[in-house]
Every structure is written in structure tokens, then in C-alpha cells.
């Protein structure tokens, strides 16, 4: 039957991408049956399941609730309070802040590499080149688990709350020499109409403010 979702009548039995497989169920008996069926399926496909890298996570359970023993290939599966699927951390409480913080490390590492490359090649003052490097090398690290990129609302007095988005927009503002204190909501609202505050001119003097902010928004949303 799979696990229930927020959509009535819709259940999810599994997520499968390349060699990453996640099985989901609300009934432990059904989950064990799915594991049993996985064995002959993998054998027909010429695949071997790595039991040492397979875990059981009990989501949204009551405190100290007992978790049944699950087996695959006659081996007991380890119980954990979280697991990573396609770069996204899923903890037992489905806390998206924890997921964002988990992804922040490789994203920040990619940002540092882009900065270092820009300085090394003496192109850190060229916004076009830095934005291209950001899109090519850093954005992929942050968007690998794109499910955790979200904005509930954005107004004058509200900015991005997700730590990934905060790091993202801060880096873009530095590239475009936009005042870091300028609220992101103001940039969004005034991108096509009013000038934004800059910390310097330099290479940006030849570019229109609207284009700059629109570029930042474009790369923020890719």
C-alpha cells in the first residue's frame, strides 16, 4: 500500500533514482514484504543490495516506541534516526532546517572554491564571469537537494529564512556589489523600477541596476 501523503488517496511505495532506492510504508508487515520482494527483483536485474548501507528510519513515531526488526537477505537492518537520499538529509522528524544545514557545508565549500578561483585568475571583479562560475560549480552543490529550497513569503520586512538561501543571496550581493544590508524583498520589488544601493561602482558602472538585480534573482531561482 505504501505510505500516506498529504494528498488523499495518494500513497508512495518507493523512490528510485539510479542505484538509490527508498521503500516507504505505514505498516511494518508490508514493509518487510517489500524487502522480501526486493531480493528476487534485484537478482533478476543482476544487482546486489548493500545491506551495510541500508537503514531503517521510523518517522514521526512516539517517543520510545518499539521498532520491529527488519531483515534483508537474512541480515538485520540497522535502525537510525536519519538517512541521506540524493544529498538530502531526512531525520525522524522531517525537519527541513536540519536538511538545509546538512547541505550548507558542501554549498559553502563550493562558494569558497569559486572565490579562490576568481582571485587566482584575477576575474573576481568581473560579475559575468563570477556569476557563470557560481552557476556552474556552486549552484549544483546547493541545488542537489532542491526540495529544501523554499520561501513561504517575501515582504519588505522578511527575507529568506533558509540558511542555504541566505548564503546564496549573500554571495550574489557580494558579486554584484549590492549592500548586504539591503533587504532581499526590496531587491525583488524594485528590480524593474528603482535603483538599489551599491557599496561600490567599479565594473558595475556599465550595467543597469534592474539587470543586475534580475540576474541575481534569476540565479537565485534556478
Amino acid at each position: 500500500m505504501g505510505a500516506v501523503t498529504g494528498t488523499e488517496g495518494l500513497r508512495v511505495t518507493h523512490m528510485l533514482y539510479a542505484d538509490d532506492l527508498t521503500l516507504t510504508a505505514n505498516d511494518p508487515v508490508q514493509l518487510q514484504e517489500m524487502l522480501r520482494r526486493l531480493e528476487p527483483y534485484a537478482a533478476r536485474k543482476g544487482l546486489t543490495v548493500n545491506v551495510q548501507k541500508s537503514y531503517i528510519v521510523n518517522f514521526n513515531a512516539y517517543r520510545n516506541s518499539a521498532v520491529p526488526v527488519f531483515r534483508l537477505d537474512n541480515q538485520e537492518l540497522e535502525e537510525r534516526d536519519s538517512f541521506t537520499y540524493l544529498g538530502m538529509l531526512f531525520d525522524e522528524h522531517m525537519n527541513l532546517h536540519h536538511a538545509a544545514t546538512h547541505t550548507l557545508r558542501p554549498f559553502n565549500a563550493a562558494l569558497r572554491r569559486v572565490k579562490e578561483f576568481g582571485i587566482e585568475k584575477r576575474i573576481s571583479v568581473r560579475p559575468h564571469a563570477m556569476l557563470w562560475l557560481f552557476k556552474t560549480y556552486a549552484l549544483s552543490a546547493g541545488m542537489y537537494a532542491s526540495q529544501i529550497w523554499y520561501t513561504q513569503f517575501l515582504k519588505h520586512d522578511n527575507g529568506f529564512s533558509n540558511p542555504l538561501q541566505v548564503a546564496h543571496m549573500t554571495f550574489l550581493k557580494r558579486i554584484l556589489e549590492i549592500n548586504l544590508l539591503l533587504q532581499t524583498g526590496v531587491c525583488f520589488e524594485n528590480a524593474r523600477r528603482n535603483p538599489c544601493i551599491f557599496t561600490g561602482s567599479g565594473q558595475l558602472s556599465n550595467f543597469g541596476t534592474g539587470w543586475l538585480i534580475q540576474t541575481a534573482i534569476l540565479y537565485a531561482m534556478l
Side-chain angles (χ1 to χ4, degrees), residues 175-216:
I175 290 178
L176 302 174
E177 296 187 24
I178 299 172
N179 192 328
L180 296 180
L181 298 179
L182 184 65
Q183 295 178 348
T184 304
V186 176
C187 288
F188 269 82
E189 188 166 304
N190 296 340
R192 295 178 179 272
R193 292 176 295 177
N194 301 321
C196 286
I197 302 171
F198 291 84
T199 57
S201 54
Q203 297 293 325
L204 300 177
S205 59
N206 296 326
F207 303 141
T209 300
W211 178 87
L212 288 171
I213 304 302
Q214 290 170 36
T215 301

Side-chain angles (χ1 to χ4, degrees), residues 7-211:
T7 301
E8 185 177 357
L10 176 63
R11 288 174 173 261
V12 175
T13 58
H14 66 282
M15 296 180 289
L16 176 60
Y17 184 85
D19 62 343
D20 289 319
L21 170 65
T22 297
L23 302 177
T24 58
N26 291 115
D27 187 334
V29 175
Q30 292 188 12
L31 181 57
Q32 182 58 66
E33 174 63 16
M34 294 164 72
L35 290 169
R36 187 192 67 79
R37 294 185 181 188
L38 176 61
E39 296 179 29
Y41 172 83
R44 290 197 305 271
K45 298 294 182 179
L47 302 173
T48 300
V49 179
N50 191 335
V51 179
Q52 281 66 43
K53 292 185 178 180
S54 301
Y55 314 109
I56 295 293
V57 179
N58 192 13
F59 292 103
N60 298 319
Y62 293 107
R63 185 182 298 273
N64 299 325
S65 59
V67 177
V69 174
F70 293 92
R71 296 182 180 278
L72 180 62
D73 289 337
N74 294 322
Q75 299 182 58
E76 183 176 335
L77 296 180
E78 178 185 352
E79 180 190 353
R80 291 193 173 185
D81 57 7
S82 66
F83 76 102
T84 303
Y85 183 73
L86 298 183
M88 181 173 179
L89 179 71
F90 292 85
D91 70 1
E92 58 186 349
H93 302 297
M94 299 295 288
N95 189 316
L96 289 180
H97 181 77
H98 292 167
T101 303
H102 174 79
T103 308
L104 192 60
R105 178 179 296 180
F107 184 54
N108 280 336
L111 292 181
R112 286 193 297 271
R113 180 59 188 134
V114 169
K115 293 178 184 177
E116 293 170 356
F117 189 87
I119 295 174
E120 177 186 342
K121 301 299 181 181
R122 298 180 181 181
I123 57 174
S124 57
V125 295
R126 296 170 56 187
H128 280 96
M130 294 299 291
L131 287 173
W132 184 86
L133 289 172
F134 171 80
K135 177 183 177 182
T136 305
Y137 296 106
L139 195 61
S140 57
M143 294 295 287
Y144 188 65
S146 58
Q147 303 96 318
I148 60 181
W149 286 72
Y150 69 97
T151 304
Q152 294 179 339
F153 53 88
L154 191 62
K155 301 178 182 178
H156 275 293
D157 55 346
N158 291 288
F160 289 126
S161 59
N162 188 302
L164 271 174
Q165 292 172 322
V166 172
H168 189 156
M169 292 305 299
T170 299
F171 186 78
L172 289 176
K173 286 179 179 179
R174 290 186 186 279
I175 290 178
L176 302 174
E177 296 187 24
I178 299 172
N179 192 328
L180 296 180
L181 298 179
L182 184 65
Q183 295 178 348
T184 304
V186 176
C187 288
F188 269 82
E189 188 166 304
N190 296 340
R192 295 178 179 272
R193 292 176 295 177
N194 301 321
C196 286
I197 302 171
F198 291 84
T199 57
S201 54
Q203 297 293 325
L204 300 177
S205 59
N206 296 326
F207 303 141
T209 300
W211 178 87

